[in-house]
Amino acid sequence: MSDLPSIALLCIVTLSCLSILLFHLVTGVPPMPSSAAVITDVIDLLRQANLPPRPKIYELGSGWGSLAIALARAFPDAEIHGFELSPLPFLFARLRTRGIRNLSIHWGDFFRQDVSDADAITCYLMIRPMPKVGAFLDSMLRPGTAVVSLTFWFRDRRVDASRNGAGLRGAAALYYWPAEKT
């Protein structure tokens, strides 16, 4: 009987790991936290984008919520919406973002969302989904919408501005959609 709490904890940890692995296999994107330096670059690029006074910013794949929280703090008059498909990071992000009035984290596939009213989009994904994300943005966004991508850029699009952070993870690129194809 004394082993029951240990077994329950082991089951919870195992199911959590399997959930993250399964959704990584489905989406091709592991839930990666954004570093403080990268977050600063994203915020700087969005400020450079001259967003309207009360912008609507969507984060595609909000993971554990780090970037969404930083965006909500940096743009207190903005309406921030994060989308996360993987249940464990989603729940963790929801817990972390309780009480932040201008931030909503939604569970679901961002490809099934209407983001046509966006003033800005941010994404920190992997290279595999980027062509599909580009096509999704082509079908959704108004001309001139700011899009900031972290590390994994839209390789077939012209970058309007960038920040080159240290190391492999860290470069951020700003595009104005529909970004010119190269």
Side-chain angles (χ1 to χ4, degrees):
M1 195 62 144
S2 64
D3 288 339
L4 193 56
S6 297
I7 292 170
L9 181 61
L10 180 61
C11 288
I12 290 169
V13 169
T14 301
L15 289 173
S16 297
C17 291
L18 287 173
S19 170
I20 289 173
L21 180 61
L22 174 68
F23 279 90
H24 177 194
L25 292 172
V26 168
T27 65
V29 181
M32 300 283 292
S34 301
S35 71
V38 167
I39 289 170
T40 299
D41 288 343
V42 171
I43 290 168
D44 288 346
L45 287 171
L46 286 175
R47 286 193 173 125
Q48 180 179 334
N50 295 316
L51 299 177
R54 296 185 162 294
K56 187 173 271 192
I57 302 172
Y58 291 99
E59 184 185 9
L60 308 182
S62 55
W64 306 100
S66 302
L67 179 56
I69 291 167
L71 290 171
R73 290 180 179 150
F75 299 96
D77 293 330
E79 186 180 325
I80 313 293
H81 294 274
F83 296 103
E84 179 55 48
L85 183 60
S86 186
L88 187 61
F90 162 76
L91 290 171
F92 190 81
R94 283 294 293 260
L95 286 173
R96 290 183 69 197
T97 60
R98 284 179 317 184
I100 302 176
R101 67 166 184 77
N102 64 330
L103 173 58
S104 300
I105 302 292
H106 309 276
W107 183 44
D109 184 351
F110 63 78
F111 287 113
R112 297 176 186 257
Q113 306 302 317
D114 180 0
V115 297
S116 61
D117 59 346
D119 295 301
I121 299 279
T122 66
C123 58
Y124 181 18
L125 303 168
M126 299 291 277
I127 199 62
R128 183 176 125 198
M130 293 309 279
K132 185 177 177 183
V133 172
F136 171 71
L137 297 178
D138 284 342
S139 72
M140 279 281 176
L141 299 183
R142 298 182 311 263
T145 302
V147 175
V148 176
S149 179
L150 295 169
T151 305
F152 302 98
W153 296 6
F154 297 95
R155 293 184 176 188
D156 63 339
R157 307 291 177 126
R158 184 177 63 83
V159 174
D160 289 289
S162 65
R163 297 280 191 277
N164 294 318
L168 178 62
R169 294 175 42 199
L174 169 65
Y175 306 83
Y176 292 102
W177 224 260
E180 182 180 312
K181 291 197 175 190
T182 56

